[in-house]
Amino acid sequence: GAVVSQHPSRVICKSGTSVKIECRSLDFQATTMFWYRQFPKKSLMLMATSNEGSKATYEQGVEKDKFLINHASLTLSTLTVTSAHPEDSSFYICSAMTWDTQYFGPGTRLTVL
Amino acid sequence: QKEVEQDPGPLSVPEGAIVSLNCTYSNSAFQYFMWYRQYSRKGPELLMYTYSSGNKEDGRFTAQVDKSSKYISLFIRDSQPSDSATYLCAMSSVVSGGSNYKLTFGKGTLLTVNP
């Protein structure tokens, strides 16, 4: 099956710093990638849809200036959490689309102190 | 009313039991239904994908969709300790790859299969 990787798997940072999370499709090209956020015992909440070479489409209530998404190539999308605060602490998961299926990365645990 | 409702459990069963997991939904536009399995601190893994109403079987897993009742189920036969995970239902009104495609997830049901 298709493999999606995320890096880093875990990051701890100080309040006010920015953190970049990478999402890569390892063995296929993905024109569309998605970024989700998951709180403990909660469902995955779609944050944004990222299309290669164009601006991301953000879901209602997601601050696009805080969560910067770049999808520069068919195998890489990045999410940058700018000026992170403790309430941004969460599990961030990306996914990448093949022609008919969405494959998920292993997730990144962000802790903001 | 949330678009997708799923009992979070937890659900605990003995090894070998038949497990039934369910979701209800309110959006009649949903046509594509999926079940994902998520192990702790990992990303979701696609288990089953079904379109519209009916049954689909894959090994020990059977997915059922009843669009008239807005109800979907996942059955696991001969459950194993390795099946212990959170199971998430997900659905979409648009075919994957289509414009404006996105998944709406249930909260997930935590399943533990005891040896």
Side-chain angles (χ1 to χ4, degrees):
Chain A
V3 178
V4 177
S5 70
Q6 273 184 250
H7 178 78
S9 58
R10 172 172 283 191
V11 58
I12 301 172
C13 69
K14 292 182 178 180
S15 185
T17 60
S18 293
V19 175
K20 180 184 283 189
I21 303 169
E22 290 187 350
C23 176
R24 292 181 186 272
S25 55
L26 297 184
D27 50 2
F28 65 99
Q29 294 183 328
T31 54
T32 303
M33 290 185 173
F34 302 87
W35 286 96
Y36 294 85
R37 185 171 178 178
Q38 188 177 34
F39 292 102
K41 298 183 180 179
K42 298 285 187 183
S43 184
L44 278 78
M45 299 298 297
L46 180 65
M47 298 175 66
T49 302
S50 167
N51 290 295
E52 186 264 339
S54 62
K55 290 185 179 180
T57 301
Y58 290 82
E59 294 298 302
Q60 192 172 11
V62 177
E63 300 176 60
K64 61 181 181 181
D65 293 331
K66 180 164 187 63
F67 299 99
L68 300 179
I69 292 172
N70 184 279
H71 192 161
S73 78
L74 289 172
T75 60
L76 173 65
S77 176
T78 60
L79 168 68
T80 301
V81 183
T82 62
S83 186
H85 288 93
E87 58 265 30
D88 298 325
S89 298
S90 191
F91 193 52
Y92 292 88
I93 306 176
C94 73
S95 70
M97 285 283 298
T98 61
W99 68 275
D100 68 340
T101 305
Q102 197 174 143
Y103 293 94
F104 286 82
T108 296
R109 173 76 57 191
L110 170 64
T111 303
V112 185
L113 303 175
Chain B
Q1 180 186 12
K2 292 189 176 180
E3 277 196 298
V4 180
E5 299 275 5
Q6 183 177 9
D7 185 343
L11 180 61
S12 182
V13 302
E15 184 175 355
I18 297 175
V19 176
S20 173
L21 304 165
N22 312 292
C23 288
T24 59
Y25 61 95
S26 58
N27 187 347
S28 58
F30 287 142
Q31 297 188 68
Y32 305 90
F33 305 92
M34 285 134 278
W35 285 94
Y36 284 85
R37 177 174 62 195
Q38 186 177 21
Y39 292 111
S40 181
R41 298 190 180 90
K42 299 291 184 183
E45 168 195 11
L46 180 65
L47 278 178
M48 300 287 283
Y49 178 104
T50 53
Y51 168 67
S52 197
S53 287
N55 293 2
K56 184 175 182 179
E57 187 174 320
D58 184 1
R60 296 185 295 112
F61 298 90
T62 300
Q64 285 186 352
V65 175
D66 182 350
K67 288 191 69 182
S68 62
S69 301
K70 296 190 179 67
Y71 187 89
I72 69 171
S73 301
L74 177 70
F75 297 96
I76 307 174
R77 291 183 299 280
D78 188 25
S79 56
Q80 303 295 309
S82 58
D83 295 328
S84 299
T86 296
Y87 289 80
L88 298 135
C89 64
M91 43 199 83
S92 172
S93 58
V94 177
V95 65
S96 59
S99 177
N100 298 319
Y101 169 80
K102 68 176 182 180
L103 290 178
T104 301
F105 283 86
K107 280 189 177 181
T109 300
L110 177 60
L111 170 67
T112 301
V113 181
N114 301 299

